[in-house]
Amino acid sequence: MNEVWSRDKLSADRAVVALKAAAEPTRLRILALLAKYELTVKDLTHVLGQSQPRISRHLKLLGEAGLIDRFREGGWVNLRLAELTAGQGVAGTIVSWLDDGDDVLRRDAERARALIEDRARHAQTFFEAHAGAWDELRALHMDGSVVEAAMSRVLGSGPFGTLLDLGTGTGRILELFAPLFERGIGIDTNQSMLSYARSRIEKVDLRHAQVRHGDIYNLSLPDGASNMIIMHQVLHFLSEPKRAIAEAARVLAPNGRLLIVDFAPHDREAFRERFAHTHLGIPEDRLSDWIATAGLRVETTDNVLPAEQADDGQSQLRVLIWLARKPEQFAPDATHPATDR
């Protein structure tokens, strides 16, 4: 496929293939959905009310035409609008012609959003039930002290003006890096987590830190409000991690830095239900693409906890650390829209 498709141009024959693939009502609906959300085949069967074999046939044609990308994550196959080939331009243009007010497309989008919100509620319920033991739960996945030492090594000695901790959870990151910032703000959407974090920072007398309720996709902060943002073990819980990175980039000051810490891809399928994980780790190439799309430049990467064989036969979890910087002249990649807003 890579040798047929180029990133920038299509031959006349390939353009015809792409246009023919899109020229069918269900496939147009699929393209409209995947322009906004990453979905699975099961999601699409639910939203579109069609059988799995029929949806799979449509997806096969769209994939062969280069209009969509598919990637495996554990036992799931996620789907999205093409990003790495010239098919992206064709698919994006076709979707831009569609009327969002169309009744069918509007109902499709509503059902897809309901699915995503249901997953978010599942995660929120999990967080509420485990807020007080959150750090202990994380320790089941990895050696937190090793990861924190690697984070400190990557960040350096500071000082930072305003540090923003997105998905602050128990407030541990604010406590850990308190000596390095003048002002710390932790953002989380879960009230139980915020209550626990608030009591924690009060207990250790972090008067220059605070926690707030907020939406990681739509932060109530102005552009350039922070010169250091940390997203520690957050992305694998999110339905739209790319969108969260784009919002972090908006709030980051010129020359500010974004530290992302998350699992490398793994095979622990049980984490979806047991720990409310949406993604089984974050592939390095995808994260790199999201960072670039948001207009940031990767400065440093680190790989913590090299894979070892665990007692259950599964590989030990690895943690990836990425440090990216916002250029003085900030310019998100307009050819790869990062959000649907």
Side-chain angles (χ1 to χ4, degrees), residues 98-176:
L98 301 177
D99 180 4
D100 286 340
D102 178 89
D103 286 344
V104 173
L105 298 180
R106 179 177 51 79
R107 286 194 297 269
D108 287 349
E110 288 172 354
R111 284 192 288 266
R113 173 53 60 182
L115 275 177
I116 290 171
E117 290 176 350
D118 185 62
R119 287 179 192 148
R121 282 192 294 271
H122 173 63
Q124 289 300 310
T125 300
F126 177 80
F127 297 150
E128 289 169 4
H130 298 93
W134 189 242
D135 291 334
E136 290 80 2
L137 275 175
R138 279 182 168 169
L140 295 176
H141 302 335
M142 59 186 174
D143 185 341
S145 63
V146 175
V147 175
E148 290 175 359
M151 292 172 65
S152 296
R153 183 173 64 252
V154 170
L155 277 180
S157 58
F160 312 122
T162 298
L163 182 144
L164 186 61
D165 181 27
L166 299 181
T168 194
T170 65
R172 169 59 183 164
I173 296 302
L174 293 175
E175 180 184 1
L176 179 66

Side-chain angles (χ1 to χ4, degrees), residues 268 305-310 314-318:
R268 309 221 170 183
L305 301 182
E308 299 174 0
Q309 197 65 21
Q314 295 177 308
S315 60
Q316 183 175 334
L317 295 172
R318 292 184 300 120

Side-chain angles (χ1 to χ4, degrees), residues 7 19 29 55 88-89 122 129 143 177 228 275 279 301:
R7 188 180 178 99
L19 292 171
R29 293 167 69 186
I55 293 296
Q88 178 204 21
H122 173 63
D143 185 341
F177 294 111
M228 173 55 70
F275 300 117
H279 303 280
T301 62

Side-chain angles (χ1 to χ4, degrees), residues 76-114:
W76 291 8
V77 174
N78 286 9
L79 305 148
R80 61 184 176 187
L81 212 64
E83 291 186 347
L84 300 178
T85 69
Q88 178 204 21
V90 177
T93 299
I94 290 171
V95 169
S96 72
W97 293 337
L98 301 177
D99 180 4
D100 286 340
D102 178 89
D103 286 344
V104 173
L105 298 180
R106 179 177 51 79
R107 286 194 297 269
D108 287 349
E110 288 172 354
R111 284 192 288 266
R113 173 53 60 182

Side-chain angles (χ1 to χ4, degrees), residues 133-252:
W134 189 242
D135 291 334
E136 290 80 2
L137 275 175
R138 279 182 168 169
L140 295 176
H141 302 335
M142 59 186 174
D143 185 341
S145 63
V146 175
V147 175
E148 290 175 359
M151 292 172 65
S152 296
R153 183 173 64 252
V154 170
L155 277 180
S157 58
F160 312 122
T162 298
L163 182 144
L164 186 61
D165 181 27
L166 299 181
T168 194
T170 65
R172 169 59 183 164
I173 296 302
L174 293 175
E175 180 184 1
L176 179 66
F177 294 111
L180 304 185
F181 59 75
E182 297 174 5
R183 181 188 185 210
I185 303 172
I187 304 290
D188 209 294
T189 190
N190 187 274
Q191 295 289 2
S192 296
M193 284 291 192
L194 287 171
S195 295
Y196 187 89
R198 195 169 285 115
S199 65
R200 179 176 194 152
I201 64 177
E202 290 174 357
K203 184 177 180 180
V204 296
D205 198 27
L206 296 185
R207 298 186 181 183
H208 61 319
Q210 60 179 274
V211 294
R212 303 178 184 174
H213 182 267
D215 181 355
I216 200 168
Y217 300 125
N218 187 22
L219 298 167
S220 57
L221 292 166
D223 294 0
S226 173
N227 57 354
M228 173 55 70
I229 299 178
I230 297 178
M231 304 176 79
H232 175 240
Q233 297 291 6
V234 171
L235 295 183
H236 64 259
F237 288 112
L238 302 180
S239 295
E240 300 172 90
K242 178 179 178 180
R243 185 177 165 198
I245 291 173
E247 180 66 351
R250 178 189 69 79
V251 174
L252 201 59

